[in-house]
Amino acid sequence: MKLTTLTTAVLLTFSGIAQASPLPDFPFITVTGEAKLDVAPDKARIQFVIRHTAAKADAATEAVYKQGRDLMQFLATQGVTEANIDAAQVNKEALYKDYNDRTITGYEASQPISVTLEQLGNYVAVMDYLFKQPQIFSIQGSFDSSQREQHELKLSEQAGADARRRANHLAAAQGVKISSVFAISETAGWGSLAGDFGFSGAAVSYGALRKSAEMADSSGNLVLPRHITLQKSVNVIYKIKP
């Protein structure tokens, strides 16, 4: 008899879990508040890969080493210190005749590099150098602000205020009032009301582009962004009352 009672209790417990709803059991509304800010970038990050192929492994690897040494010397002339240079380990891969014939025809050595420029004054010169190097590929530049953290704190406050304004307008349109905050999401979207919570992150988009003064004679196709757009969004669930 005791065993039967225990089994029944367990079944009832699991049944209750299965029937539980992820939705709040009170009247509520959800809103998304947003805030954006255009700021002039003052720093940049450049990522690229040093890559060389050769018939012999030592020749491919040595070419990558040499390009790396030349790069370090050039960056030093631009005021870039080693603390702002991140390099992954050199990787070596065999090259084959084709997919079916695995005869080795050569070797490829590569090394991913990331360079942070604390000042944008030398961005054009660095990019121009990288583009002209025959053994440097996959060059990508991104811009940022050294004041990002301060800007994002202000944007978070503004997004929260925008969410409350939207909630008040929505509630008033239905003849009710918002009561208190039940949950705040910092993700890009709820996904579902039982989803994770979190900020959408500082979304960055590029504004109109302009040429810098030092590009007048060369590097005419290199451009700097006039601004980057920092963005925050916050999702809020408000309890409502009649």
Side-chain angles (χ1 to χ4, degrees):
M1 189 65 177
K2 290 183 179 180
L3 178 59
T4 302
T5 302
L6 177 60
T7 303
T8 302
V10 172
L11 288 175
L12 288 174
T13 300
F14 280 110
S15 175
I17 293 175
Q19 296 177 4
S21 171
L23 298 176
D25 58 357
F26 50 81
F28 67 94
I29 59 174
T30 66
V31 292
T32 299
E34 297 180 342
K36 295 181 180 180
L37 177 66
D38 290 342
V39 298
D42 58 8
K43 60 189 299 186
R45 187 183 186 205
I46 304 174
Q47 296 174 286
F48 52 91
V49 178
I50 300 176
R51 184 168 63 245
H52 187 78
T53 58
K56 295 184 178 181
D58 57 348
T61 303
E62 181 54 40
V64 171
Y65 289 160
K66 182 180 184 306
Q67 181 68 77
R69 292 192 295 268
D70 293 344
L71 174 67
M72 293 292 288
Q73 292 177 1
F74 169 77
L75 291 177
T77 66
Q78 299 299 309
V80 180
T81 65
E82 292 187 12
N84 288 328
I85 304 173
D86 292 321
Q89 184 173 342
V90 175
N91 182 54
K92 184 196 74 175
E93 298 286 348
L95 303 176
Y96 302 97
K97 186 174 182 180
D98 56 45
Y99 181 78
N100 295 316
D101 188 344
R102 307 303 283 172
T103 301
I104 296 178
T105 59
Y107 296 88
E108 177 183 276
S110 61
Q111 184 177 33
I113 306 288
S114 175
V115 177
T116 299
L117 301 179
E118 300 293 347
Q119 308 240 350
L120 290 183
N122 50 10
Y123 175 82
V124 172
V126 172
M127 289 294 279
D128 186 54
Y129 172 87
L130 296 175
F131 280 125
K132 292 178 180 178
Q133 299 305 303
Q135 297 167 359
I136 294 181
F137 302 89
S138 304
I139 305 168
Q140 297 181 347
S142 59
F143 300 90
D144 204 349
S145 169
S146 59
Q147 302 298 312
R148 173 182 287 274
E149 184 175 353
Q150 293 90 323
H151 291 318
E152 289 184 342
L153 287 174
K154 183 179 297 184
L155 287 172
S156 296
E157 296 175 357
Q158 294 174 351
D162 183 54
R164 179 167 287 275
R165 283 194 299 269
R166 292 171 185 262
N168 281 323
H169 292 162
L170 183 59
Q174 301 302 318
V176 296
K177 296 181 180 180
I178 64 172
S179 174
S180 59
V181 174
F182 172 71
I184 302 175
S185 164
E186 295 182 344
T187 58
W190 292 105
S192 68
L193 289 178
D196 295 331
F197 294 94
F199 257 102
S200 65
V204 177
S205 60
Y206 294 97
L209 299 175
R210 60 179 172 80
K211 292 183 179 181
S212 58
E214 60 269 27
M215 293 162 53
D217 297 327
S218 64
S219 309
N221 292 326
L222 293 177
V223 290
L224 294 172
R226 182 172 301 168
H227 66 264
I228 57 176
T229 303
L230 304 182
Q231 178 178 345
K232 283 289 188 180
S233 63
V234 56
N235 303 304
V236 186
I237 295 179
Y238 288 97
K239 292 182 179 181
I240 58 176
K241 58 184 180 180

